[in-house]
Amino acid sequence: MDWKPDFSSETPLYIQIKKFMKNKISLGEWAVGTKIPSQRALAELFNVNRSTVVSALSDLTAEGLLQGNTKGGTKVINNTWSLLAASPPPDWSSYVQEGTYYPNQPAIQHINRAEFHKGMIRLGTGELSPDLLPIEQMKRIFNKLTENSFSLGYEEPKGNRHLREQVVEYLRGLNIHTSPSNILIVSGALQGLQLIAMGLLQRGASILAEKPSYLYSVHVFQSNAIKMIGVPMDIEGIQTSLISRYKKGYNASLLYTIPSFHNPTGCLMPETRRQELMKVCSDEGLPIIEDDVYRELWFDEPPPLPLKARDPNALVLYLGSLSKSLSPGLRVGWVVAPEPVIERLADIKMQFDYGSSSISQWAAAEWMKSGLYQEHATHIRAQLKGRRDLTIQLLNAYLLGIATWSVPSGGFYIWVRLTVDVPIQMLFDRAFKAGILLNPGSIYDRSAGSFLRISYAYAKMHELEWGISKLADLIKEICI
Ligand SMILES: Cc1ncc(COP(=O)(O)O)c(C=O)c1O
């Protein structure tokens, strides 16, 4: 809610708030059944005393629009329309609870909202800083597009042919030899995962994934009634010696992995571990989803070749994306897989959204064809390396003795383990009050309560500096 009362107006604040809420209720934005924020949260949102909020709520309750319950929650029970209507309005809240897609974890809902609070220092965000996004070059690309051939129509089911050809070329550089018919353009790698979950797996199936993993922070598989089984990692990535046992024990259908600059641990799977992983999965007949969205973000040397580059038996479904290296707003990613799989996923995608934005696809193709994408990736690598170095210096300066971490060789993340006993929710709340947004480890693994995912990609350099020193103060304060 962006609205705030007008402090210079002669109308009392509680009347302004009452009017604002009444408006929300009568427009149906707060439908009957909607739980409204707590008095404390409303007072913070509107920048007023709690007593002002209480006055507004009491009036609305007296008018029959709101009702409080014994636990302190308040719900909309009527709207002006329903007060006049003969039959009661639908209870949208019960519909909301019945939808089959899982809601986000509350911590993630909180983070998703708070990321847009002005002035918030985002110490965990998995996105390039606005300073690192190539706005001027993007403008030039769009100008060039509008001067040359470019279509505003729908695209083929597998995506813009021109872009798929560029992706084929790009993948050739990674030793993945494929063709446009084996590629599906998706609206980000996340959509690729959604299509795989819906198109290739039965309800009740199980998939293996690293623990912790990005995959636990979204409910792509769980919402399709697929169980996620976490396989422990060590510093080289997923522990391949456990895979046969887990595959048999859980009758797993697939294994999901992020071998390069893993989210959230930053871990890079070395060559030998990649070979072991391919061997065990091939012996077990266990297909792999290789999520390679961070591949381009290496600092000193490129990561070992993708699993997909050593895949004669078509075991691997490969996911790439421009989100982490160019622009998440383009929403352009790709799935590389055998043709029947691509056709199945493309067919579902057509029913879903009839293709990703054609404008984005044309722009992405131009970035890749012109060589600007590779040039930009070189620039981003240097910038991220500088940010990684600074962040490690800051961790050494402020968190030594109260936390441990390892130094990533690419990607966005440092997986920080707090070695002192700090309730993470309390730390999150105190940091939030101080204007710092954290990504607690439990988002990526329920048992990773003593971890934080620190990202050096998003916050400005001075924000990293202030944020990490403040974080250290808060941890020490809580521990005393
Ligand atoms: C490992 C991994 N895969 C996929 C995604 C989603 O990327 P996209 O923006 O391409 O959908 C993310 C984003 O954080 C990620 O970390």
Side-chain angles (χ1 to χ4, degrees):
M1 271 189 288
D2 293 330
W3 181 85
K4 297 255 181 293
D6 177 359
F7 290 88
S8 61
S9 158
E10 284 182 1
T11 311
L13 293 173
Y14 87 95
I15 302 268
Q16 292 185 46
I17 292 174
K18 194 176 130 183
K19 245 171 123 178
F20 167 76
M21 291 186 168
K22 216 170 184 171
N23 207 24
K24 283 237 168 246
I25 295 171
S26 64
L27 289 175
E29 287 177 29
W30 287 358
V32 171
T34 303
K35 212 170 142 238
I36 67 166
S38 68
Q39 294 171 358
R40 190 163 63 92
L42 287 169
E44 269 176 27
L45 272 172
F46 298 145
N47 239 343
V48 297
N49 291 329
R50 196 155 156 183
S51 57
T52 310
V53 169
V54 171
S55 304
L57 295 182
S58 313
D59 276 14
L60 293 170
T61 307
E63 287 177 31
L65 296 174
L66 297 181
Q67 187 179 54
N69 65 24
T70 46
K71 290 186 200 138
T74 304
K75 267 191 358 185
V76 176
I77 51 161
N78 262 313
N79 53 30
T80 40
W81 171 77
S82 68
L83 282 174
L84 299 173
S87 55
D91 179 358
W92 286 113
S93 300
S94 71
Y95 280 81
V96 164
Q97 275 155 27
E98 268 154 35
T100 53
Y101 214 90
Y102 281 34
N104 263 314
Q105 300 173 33
I108 296 189
Q109 291 178 343
H110 189 161
I111 291 171
N112 287 347
R113 281 192 300 266
E115 282 185 336
F116 292 91
H117 288 187
K118 238 175 136 187
M120 191 56 88
I121 295 180
R122 293 160 57 173
L123 285 189
T125 295
E127 181 182 342
L128 286 174
S129 161
D131 324 338
L132 298 178
L133 297 177
I135 304 280
E136 288 309 316
Q137 281 153 304
M138 189 66 90
K139 281 187 195 157
R140 284 199 291 277
I141 294 251
F142 276 112
N143 278 339
K144 198 165 155 200
L145 279 182
T146 47
E147 282 160 16
N148 298 334
S149 62
F150 153 66
S151 143
L152 284 174
Y154 292 120
E155 297 286 349
E156 290 179 44
K158 292 183 186 176
N160 178 296
R161 174 133 204 130
H162 190 49
L163 174 56
R164 283 183 290 132
E165 282 164 0
Q166 293 308 315
V167 174
V168 166
E169 275 311 301
Y170 165 77
L171 292 172
R172 199 192 309 280
L174 304 178
N175 229 8
I176 297 175
H177 299 283
T178 186
S179 72
S181 52
N182 291 82
I183 291 178
L184 172 67
I185 302 299
V186 283
S187 300
L190 179 56
Q191 188 180 52
L193 288 169
Q194 264 151 354
L195 294 171
I196 291 170
M198 285 182 307
L200 303 183
L201 293 167
Q202 281 179 359
R203 298 175 74 76
S206 299
I207 68 157
L208 307 183
E210 285 126 356
K211 186 171 140 130
S213 174
Y214 159 74
L215 207 53
Y216 293 96
S217 71
V218 281
H219 290 137
V220 181
F221 286 98
Q222 298 91 324
S223 295
N224 286 289
I226 293 157
K227 290 192 244 19
M228 290 216 5
I229 313 295
V231 182
M233 300 176 72
D234 59 24
I235 52 165
E236 300 199 330
I238 194 161
Q239 293 190 28
T240 42
S241 57
L242 301 175
I243 289 176
S244 298
R245 180 146 52 88
Y246 274 69
K247 149 93 170 61
K248 292 192 180 82
Y250 295 97
N251 192 21
S253 309
L254 265 174
L255 178 140
Y256 168 86
T257 178
I258 313 167
S260 297
F261 315 127
H262 178 260
N263 179 4
T265 62
C267 171
L268 174 65
M269 189 184 287
E271 175 61 29
T272 45
R273 182 65 62 91
R274 288 178 195 235
Q275 288 171 9
E276 284 162 21
L277 181 57
M278 284 307 287
K279 165 122 186 39
V280 67
C281 288
S282 141
D283 290 351
E284 291 292 338
L286 180 64
I288 297 173
I289 305 172
E290 178 178 23
D291 186 336
D292 213 15
V293 300
Y294 295 97
R295 158 161 296 271
E296 288 302 319
L297 309 175
W298 47 271
F299 300 151
D300 298 315
E301 54 180 346
L305 289 176
L307 304 174
K308 184 72 189 158
R310 44 183 115 224
D311 183 32
N313 297 327
L315 199 65
V316 181
L317 309 176
Y318 182 82
L319 293 175
S321 170
L322 294 180
S323 290
K324 306 298 173 179
S325 47
L326 181 67
S327 154
L330 271 185
R331 307 307 298 133
V332 168
W334 44 86
V335 184
V336 186
E339 245 179 272
V341 171
I342 290 295
E343 267 154 29
R344 167 82 171 132
L345 303 187
D347 181 62
I348 301 176
K349 181 161 161 66
M350 287 304 273
Q351 299 178 61
F352 239 45
D353 63 4
Y354 223 72
S356 299
S357 153
S358 65
I359 303 177
S360 286
Q361 294 188 64
W362 280 99
E366 191 54 41
W367 271 98
M368 294 178 107
K369 182 168 173 228
S370 60
L372 278 175
Y373 175 57
Q374 293 303 349
E375 245 174 60
H376 171 75
T378 307
H379 167 71
I380 291 297
R381 289 196 270 270
Q383 296 292 316
L384 282 176
K385 187 177 176 189
R387 286 166 160 269
R388 186 242 5 221
D389 290 345
L390 171 78
T391 308
I392 293 292
Q393 272 173 29
L394 294 168
L395 293 177
N396 279 323
Y398 297 110
L399 291 188
L400 215 55
I402 52 175
T404 58
W405 56 88
S406 35
V407 180
S409 57
F412 287 174
Y413 310 115
I414 305 174
W415 189 231
V416 173
R417 185 168 78 88
L418 301 177
T419 50
V420 286
D421 197 12
V422 183
I424 287 287
Q425 186 59 45
M426 187 188 285
L427 181 62
F428 179 91
D429 291 342
R430 296 222 187 152
F432 186 73
K433 274 218 168 91
I436 299 170
L437 192 58
L438 297 173
N439 280 45
S442 53
I443 292 175
Y444 311 98
D445 167 10
R446 245 186 271 153
S447 62
S450 56
F451 287 82
L452 293 173
R453 183 184 84 172
I454 298 286
S455 158
Y456 41 83
Y458 191 85
K460 296 198 170 68
M461 302 285 221
H462 69 272
E463 292 179 337
L464 284 169
E465 172 131 32
W466 185 83
I468 290 176
S469 81
K470 183 73 191 171
L471 178 64
D473 290 346
L474 292 172
I475 295 171
K476 287 172 196 157
E477 247 174 62
I478 294 173
C479 284
I480 290 168

